[in-house]
Amino acid sequence: MTTTAPSAVPQQAGGRPVGDFLWGVATSAYQIEGAAFEDGRTASIWDTFSRVPGAVFGGHNGDTACDHYHRMPEDVALIAGLGVDSYRFSLSWPRIQPGGRGPANAAGLAFYDRLVDRLLEHGILPWVTLYHWDLPQELEDAGGWPARDTAHRFADYAELAMGALGDRVRWWTTLNEPWCSAVLGYETGRHAPGRQDRGDSLAAVHHLLLGHGLAAQRLRAAAPADPAEPVRVGITLNTTHAIPVEDTPADRAAARRADGIGTRLYTDPLVHGRYPADVLDDLAAEGLRLPVREGDLETIAQPLDFLGVNYYTSHYISGSEADGLPEPDGRPVTRPVPQGLPVTAMDWEIVPRGLTDHLVRLDRDYPGIPLYVTENGAAFDDRTAPDGDVRDPDRTAYLAEHIEAVAAARAAGADVRGYFAWSLMDNFEWGYGYDKRFGIVHVDYETQRRTVKQSGRWFREHIRSSREQSAEPGPSAADGG
Ligand code: IFM
């Protein structure tokens, strides 16, 4: 993809402009770090949940994961070898602030200090996510995200992190995918902490968003001044791209509900400072309400320097039950219907066009906020060939088609400024343990050997040629496609 120049070109803390489009790879702390109880780190909800029999495939956990904590220099060299501009990683809250309260743990912070320095030495822009699901267990014991106090604890932690890293890290994401934290964590129970209460889940939505707003305020207040490189604060969402199966009133209404609960419940308060009225009505019909207090919505609607979009698939939604009967709990039917499209190893349908449409829609409905695809990628059942290579044409095609889809969104006018492949390397895929591999780098969990897959080589080459094209004068540098 060649790309047109966005109005604000990301600058690296070291000063090097990273071009007109940011290419990156992404990971998260619990999924790769290991060293679960070293240097003062305490348990997160995932350390606890992964020990619940049957909660995670094979009884796997993140105790060792990719051992990134001990192999960080090697991994940064790997990232540099891929030729990306940026590395998006998350900080482990219980490593930085054990127990979720009180002073920072110097040994825990020292790891991120070294990581950031190492990235900058390699000319790679560090992009930090504060919360990628590893809530300190003590805070869950005190009520977790359904409890309002957790939002305040999160803001304290954000300030600690900014104080330690803000002189070098200027790109900050507060939360990764609050939908997953709230719905999978507190409603379906498929993720930590494994609770199953729809009211708690809604309270978690509100307190996660409140935590985002409070943290955004504290991050900006605590950021060391740097006129050359302002601090950027945003959030990453896994919004739902909902498409009516048929153009009927029932299916359109169902898609509206899916979009409301999966997208607008987050984007509307964040950007417009109000929850969507239709979603509040739907919830009221179930006897549910969000625990909003005076001033909360103003706090939540802090200016966003960017919106991170994680995209894996689209959802075709029907408003009628397969057998013609309503849903047993009396709620209106909002049923995802597989379309028989090719799927990944997660059984997620591959819908690149949905990424284009979704980015264009977000840009239209929430204008003026630069968009970054902060995650996109696919799990497939990789096989290591006898020569040690991992040839993954499915993943390579998936990445190519979705990167094309981003270019199409830009060509249609959406202000999309970057793309991060999920994931740098195979890792702990939550409830699926190590069974699902999303990496563009293969990890042999026995030896911790890393091997760049065919998709990783393709990604490196694509970035290189895309940069070359952007540098060329003439129409190709500005065609956006
Ligand atoms: O691995 C996860 C990641 O932690 C959050 N977004 C989706 C990915 C794939 O399931």
Side-chain angles (χ1 to χ4, degrees):
M1 173 173 56
T2 53
T3 47
T4 50
S7 48
V9 176
Q11 302 279 322
Q12 194 156 303
R16 182 174 75 87
V18 292
D20 65 355
F21 189 84
L22 196 70
W23 294 101
V25 285
T27 63
S28 86
Y30 191 74
Q31 293 181 274
I32 67 164
E33 283 180 3
F37 299 102
E38 275 180 50
D39 294 336
R41 181 188 179 280
T42 53
S44 76
I45 52 175
W46 273 95
D47 296 283
T48 308
F49 184 69
S50 57
R51 284 167 172 77
V52 173
V56 174
F57 173 87
H60 298 168
N61 60 48
D63 283 6
T64 305
C66 304
D67 197 28
H68 171 70
Y69 192 75
H70 299 117
R71 293 164 194 268
M72 180 272 286
E74 178 199 336
D75 289 339
V76 173
L78 190 64
I79 296 165
L82 290 170
V84 295
D85 301 305
S86 180
Y87 175 48
R88 172 180 178 250
F89 59 97
S90 78
L91 308 180
S92 160
W93 187 349
R95 197 182 291 291
I96 288 187
Q97 192 187 35
R101 301 171 195 273
N105 169 32
L109 272 176
F111 169 70
Y112 297 109
D113 223 35
R114 294 193 300 274
L115 169 58
V116 166
D117 284 347
R118 185 63 71 134
L119 288 167
L120 292 173
E121 277 162 30
H122 281 84
I124 297 164
L125 179 89
W127 185 310
V128 158
T129 300
L130 281 165
Y131 185 73
H132 199 124
W133 309 351
D134 43 358
L135 185 72
Q137 181 61 43
E138 286 85 344
L139 294 186
E140 172 57 22
D141 296 342
W145 285 110
R148 188 176 175 92
D149 184 60
T150 302
H152 292 280
R153 301 288 66 76
F154 179 63
D156 289 350
Y157 152 64
E159 187 174 335
L160 283 184
M162 176 59 88
L165 304 172
D167 56 335
R168 286 151 294 153
V169 176
R170 306 303 281 180
W171 290 78
W172 292 79
T173 301
T174 53
L175 305 173
N176 181 72
E177 302 182 356
W179 179 91
C180 291
S181 299
V183 176
L184 302 180
Y186 293 97
E187 181 177 340
T188 69
R190 286 178 51 204
H191 276 192
R195 282 156 64 177
Q196 295 183 7
D197 184 303
R198 197 158 152 79
D200 282 351
S201 170
L202 283 170
V205 169
H206 182 65
H207 296 141
L208 282 153
L209 293 175
L210 183 63
H212 156 83
L214 293 166
Q217 290 174 330
R218 300 275 283 277
L219 287 170
R220 288 193 170 110
D226 180 349
E229 181 60 10
V231 72
R232 269 83 161 199
V233 178
I235 188 169
T236 276
L237 304 174
N238 58 327
T239 41
T240 301
H241 187 59
I243 306 161
V245 173
E246 291 185 32
D247 194 17
T248 61
D251 288 4
R252 283 200 302 273
R256 192 270 307 153
R257 286 192 292 278
D259 173 71
I261 201 82
T263 297
R264 289 178 291 114
L265 184 61
Y266 302 86
T267 45
D268 278 13
L270 286 164
V271 179
H272 300 318
R274 56 176 148 70
Y275 282 110
D278 61 318
V279 179
L280 295 183
D281 289 348
D282 291 346
L283 294 172
E286 288 181 57
L288 296 168
R289 56 175 287 280
L290 294 158
V292 182
R293 294 192 194 166
E294 203 182 329
D296 285 0
L297 284 156
E298 287 73 26
T299 303
I300 290 170
Q302 295 304 304
L304 289 175
D305 294 311
F306 61 87
L307 176 62
V309 179
N310 290 358
Y311 178 88
Y312 290 90
T313 188
S314 290
H315 302 276
Y316 291 84
I317 306 290
S318 165
S320 39
E321 204 30 279
D323 53 11
L325 297 171
E327 287 190 349
D329 59 6
R331 278 153 67 180
V333 174
T334 309
R335 182 171 63 95
V337 182
Q339 298 296 293
L341 300 169
V343 295
T344 68
M346 302 294 281
D347 250 347
W348 297 344
E349 290 193 322
I350 301 172
V351 194
R353 172 67 200 262
L355 177 55
T356 305
D357 293 347
H358 197 58
L359 291 168
V360 168
R361 177 272 173 110
L362 289 172
D363 186 77
R364 182 196 65 215
D365 291 354
Y366 306 97
I369 304 173
L371 302 173
Y372 287 82
V373 176
T374 40
E375 285 183 27
N376 174 244
F380 285 106
D381 296 326
D382 300 326
R383 298 273 170 271
T384 303
D387 63 1
D389 193 12
V390 182
R391 291 185 270 277
D392 54 345
D394 291 348
R395 184 177 293 103
T396 306
Y398 182 101
L399 294 179
E401 287 165 8
H402 285 78
I403 288 169
E404 266 309 298
V406 173
R410 284 169 61 93
D415 185 7
V416 191
R417 301 192 188 180
Y419 174 95
F420 289 77
W422 183 271
S423 179
L424 165 66
M425 58 182 147
D426 296 334
N427 57 48
F428 177 78
E429 178 51 28
W430 309 111
Y432 297 88
Y434 299 98
D435 190 45
K436 301 294 180 204
R437 293 178 177 268
F438 275 88
I440 59 173
V441 173
H442 177 268
V443 176
D444 177 333
Y445 294 113
E446 297 294 312
T447 61
Q448 293 294 349
R449 187 183 149 86
R450 279 83 159 124
T451 305
V452 179
K453 299 179 192 176
Q454 177 189 21
S455 56
R457 300 193 295 267
W458 176 86
F459 192 50
R460 175 170 55 206
E461 180 52 26
H462 182 81
I463 295 170
R464 196 193 58 72
S465 66
S466 155
R467 281 206 194 105
E468 254 177 38
Q469 279 176 285
S470 309
E472 281 167 14
S476 65
D479 66 7

